[in-house]
Amino acid sequence: MGIQAGSVPVILFQKVAFALFTTSWAFTRSPEGLWPRCPPHPLFEPQELWAVFNLLIPDHAADAFSPPRLGAQSPWDALLERLLGGLARWDSEHFLFIAEHGYLLEHNCAFLPLFPLSLRLLAALLPWALQPRSRLLLSAALLNALLSALAAAALLGLGRAVLQNRRQAFLAALLFSISPAGVFMAAAYSESAFACLAFGAMWQLEKGQGCLSGLLFSLAAGARANGLVNAGFFLYSRAKRFAHQLQGGSAPLRKLPSLWKQVLSLASSAALMCAGIFLPFALFQYYAYVRFCRPGTGLAQSIPEPLLQLARDKGYRVAGTGGAEPPWCSQRFPVVYSYIQDTYWNVGFLRYFELRQIPNFLLALPVTLLGSWAAWTYISRNPRHCLTLGLERNKSEEKGKARDGFCGPAAFVYVVHSSALLVFGFCCMHVQVLTRFLGSSSPILYWFSAHLLQEHEPLLWSTGTDNAKSGKPLVGKSPSSCGKRTSDNPVVRLLLNWRLLTPLSKSILGFFLGYWLLGLILHCNFFPWT
């Protein structure tokens, strides 16, 4: 029943991440003097509300991977399952199963090893009185609470480096704390780990820390397969630096020998870095090949009988048990990941374009519209910059006065990255996952939303206590430095003054909060979600 699902812990962990981030920022005054230094109030206090929802809604009987529980539960195990069971839904079961038993089943290889390996290492530090699954469940809750906080901090640093607008960067990081993919940041999914590593790598690359950035990108590729696309950031940064050097008119580069030397140096460093980013994924494919394509090694003798029975009932292929060789093993380049996506989940170009999938396309409509609007806005405001792929040094950059904010030149590569993910996800994936796919991979969803709010919401134009349009006092904003109802959080200020918001602001905040709330209610009770 839904009573044992974990909506309350999910909210608690989201609040931990939010509190860690916003409190750390509260003592740093922005140069624009936007927000005072007193700690902001928590964003929400809805634990009791979600507990009621969870009591009223029984768990849905979903046709999802559900391995049998092995061994007898102690009272502590039962308590943890009761409190945190909502974190182990849908794909979470795969991650927890891999962390506990390894890659026993072929279709588990669709989930890359960094996150389950991290769970296993952290679980080894927890009390041995608990069963392995209970320790892993607790590890997932603690780890993702920390990683989501670090991801918000990394997004803040990245936003300040790229947007050159501290207000917009701060607002975007706050929106990340109520991401429409928020439930996946708290559940036992790899989204928080990937967002933390990817945003951190992008930030370090903007700071010129190429080696550290490459390491983080490589780790991200070991968490999710779309991390391979992040190699484009490194390639683009090197190409842009080289193009700007050529346009700078330096005499040595104009000489042919020096030019070739620079080109070879650029190509070799880019090739090495891309190889490092692709290495974790390639090693995992080789590991899967050895595990499933080689003759049986007697591994089945060490697998508990309930798991073997599950494999027989569901038709799962078990590692090391012999039998017919999987079809992907005979490919010239055996890649188990693409085979599983194709065979088990029917992922492929336009395969999801069916009438019965219309509800899922509607579920992905808000993020699709927002991502498309972001790309169109950027292109329409920077046509020449986009036509030259951002490689042309413009006059504002030469004077050190490049335009700031979302439409600034530095955001070009992030818009391209987001648009590529959007097109690929819309055409080739189960379209309903677009929200969490983009929400954990690209900062554009948060930057563009912050840009729209700043540009079109009058309540964010004034730092005073009155409504810029009517002159009426704003709820949650008092003259006192740290008053009881004073809100230094602009998102809280907007929510407390909901009736005064523009329709656009209501739409954006409604999308973020609506999906955040629905995700917590539905996902934790095994209902289909994004």
Side-chain angles (χ1 to χ4, degrees), residues 138-181:
L138 183 57
S139 298
L142 297 174
L143 184 61
N144 277 348
L146 174 62
L147 291 175
S148 59
L150 294 177
L155 180 61
L156 173 63
L158 176 63
R160 291 171 64 177
V162 173
L163 305 178
Q164 296 296 312
N165 185 321
R166 296 169 71 97
R167 299 173 61 179
Q168 202 169 105
F170 179 54
L171 184 56
L174 289 177
L175 290 175
F176 177 83
S177 297
I178 53 169
S179 169

Side-chain angles (χ1 to χ4, degrees), residues 297-309:
T297 59
L299 178 63
Q301 298 177 3
S302 62
I303 300 176
E305 178 58 29
L307 299 183
L308 289 175
Q309 187 61 46

Side-chain angles (χ1 to χ4, degrees), residues 338 340-343 345-353 361 423-431:
S338 57
I340 293 172
Q341 295 289 344
D342 176 24
T343 305
W345 286 293
N346 194 33
V347 172
F349 183 64
L350 300 185
R351 291 188 185 179
Y352 222 56
F353 282 65
F361 277 90
V423 172
F424 176 79
F426 192 83
C427 296
C428 302
M429 298 173 60
H430 292 183
V431 72

